[in-house]
Amino acid sequence: MLESCFECCIKCLGGVPYASLVATILCFSGVALFCGCGHVALTGTVTMVENHFSRITSDHANLTDVVQILQYIIYGIACFFFLYGIILLAEGFYTTSAVKEMHSEFKTTVCGRCISAMFVFLTHILGLGWLGIFGFSAVPVFLFYNMWTTCGALKSPIANLTSVDNICVDVRQYGIIPWNATPGKACGSTLSDICNTSEFYLSYHLYIVACAGAGATVIALIHYLMILAANWAYLKGLCQQTHAYQDIKTRDDQELQDVQSRSKEGLNSSYS
């Protein structure tokens, strides 16, 4: 009884698509980091701009609308990739079973191979899209890094030799708020206070994590693409070998029947 359970467990573990499983875990982790950290970082950015760089609501109204749209897009990305990751994992189980049982009673259909090819194409498109998202997520990291560097300059010994009020950060030059927004920039002690706020510190590091999550998702989709392409090509090759084997077997059976029929005819003629 114990041995049969052990053999059953080994058989089940042998059918697990470990490559697809690793890619799914990496994809879920990357998407979760990007969506969760990106959402919180965007909220912190709006709060920081409202409190320190744009005190008139109409000046940062466009920024608020854009951030809300991006957050809704984040919700959609999270839901879509949760379902897509499960589908790809299921497809990995399907192709693994097809490869292991190709020469038994299990048969793959043309429709199944077409679906596998469709996943290869769709994953390729999504990989290119996430590559763009990875590049886009690096933009706020660069902007916050510049501000982080300026904050470090306030604490450096060089800042003591010059007027601290001459060290400024003007967010209007990045297009976040219009040029007529007031105050639009922060200098000296005001900038130092902003650098010590939790919104700035947390948003900066969350943008870094979100960018890393986007990069992990790109790697996961590339991993998925290699798995899907390899499985599709292997299934196609095995199906062609199976068809060739069936054709040869059919010809052999036909030749055997012909030989048997001729031998029967010869026996009948000899008796007559």
Side-chain angles (χ1 to χ4, degrees):
M1 181 69 179
L2 200 59
E3 292 181 358
S4 61
C5 292
F6 179 75
E7 291 176 357
C8 182
C9 292
I10 294 299
K11 185 178 180 181
C12 292
L13 291 175
V16 175
Y18 292 102
S20 297
L21 185 62
V22 171
T24 302
I25 295 174
L26 183 60
C27 183
F28 282 172
S29 301
V31 172
L33 288 176
F34 174 78
C35 293
C37 296
H39 185 278
V40 178
L42 288 171
T43 303
T45 301
V46 173
T47 302
M48 186 178 66
V49 171
E50 289 177 349
N51 293 336
H52 304 286
F53 294 100
S54 178
R55 295 188 176 91
I56 301 176
T57 305
S58 59
D59 290 340
H60 57 265
N62 291 334
L63 175 64
T64 303
D65 294 338
V66 170
V67 167
Q68 288 180 350
I69 292 173
L70 291 176
Q71 289 176 337
Y72 284 127
I73 292 175
I74 286 174
Y75 299 149
I77 290 174
C79 296
F80 174 79
F81 272 89
F82 176 75
L83 295 176
Y84 191 69
I86 293 177
I87 292 173
L88 287 183
L89 183 60
E91 204 273 343
F93 275 100
Y94 165 76
T95 52
T96 300
S97 300
V99 169
K100 288 182 179 296
E101 302 180 19
M102 177 61 68
H103 298 291
S104 64
E105 296 180 356
F106 188 93
K107 303 294 181 184
T108 59
T109 61
V110 176
C111 181
R113 293 194 296 274
C114 289
I115 292 175
S116 297
M118 182 194 69
F119 280 130
V120 172
F121 175 76
L122 184 57
T123 304
H124 185 269
I125 298 300
L126 291 174
L128 293 177
W130 269 99
L131 194 61
I133 292 175
F134 174 67
F136 177 78
S137 62
V139 174
V141 175
F142 174 74
L143 299 182
F144 270 80
Y145 174 76
N146 288 338
M147 189 171 178
W148 181 274
T149 304
T150 306
C151 292
L154 288 172
K155 302 175 183 179
S156 66
I158 300 176
N160 297 327
L161 302 178
T162 60
S163 177
V164 177
D165 294 333
N166 292 331
I167 301 177
C168 303
V169 169
D170 192 346
V171 298
R172 294 173 297 185
Q173 63 182 334
Y174 302 125
I176 298 176
I177 55 178
W179 280 103
N180 57 358
T182 55
K185 66 178 182 178
C187 302
S189 59
T190 303
L191 178 60
S192 179
D193 294 337
I194 296 174
C195 295
N196 294 326
T197 59
S198 60
E199 291 87 2
F200 170 72
Y201 182 84
L202 186 61
S203 297
Y204 175 50
H205 290 86
L206 286 178
Y207 277 127
I208 295 175
V209 177
C211 185
T217 306
V218 172
I219 295 174
L221 289 174
I222 293 174
H223 194 180
Y224 268 135
L225 186 60
M226 293 188 294
I227 295 168
L228 291 170
N231 286 339
W232 180 80
Y234 195 52
L235 283 176
K236 184 179 179 181
L238 285 178
C239 288
Q240 291 176 350
Q241 293 177 7
T242 303
H243 292 323
Y245 171 76
Q246 290 176 350
D247 292 338
I248 295 172
K249 184 178 180 182
T250 303
R251 288 197 299 269
D252 291 341
D253 292 340
Q254 186 65 37
E255 291 176 358
L256 181 61
Q257 291 177 0
D258 293 340
V259 170
Q260 290 176 351
S261 61
R262 285 196 297 269
S263 63
K264 288 180 180 179
E265 291 176 357
L267 290 174
N268 292 332
S269 61
S270 63
Y271 286 129
S272 59

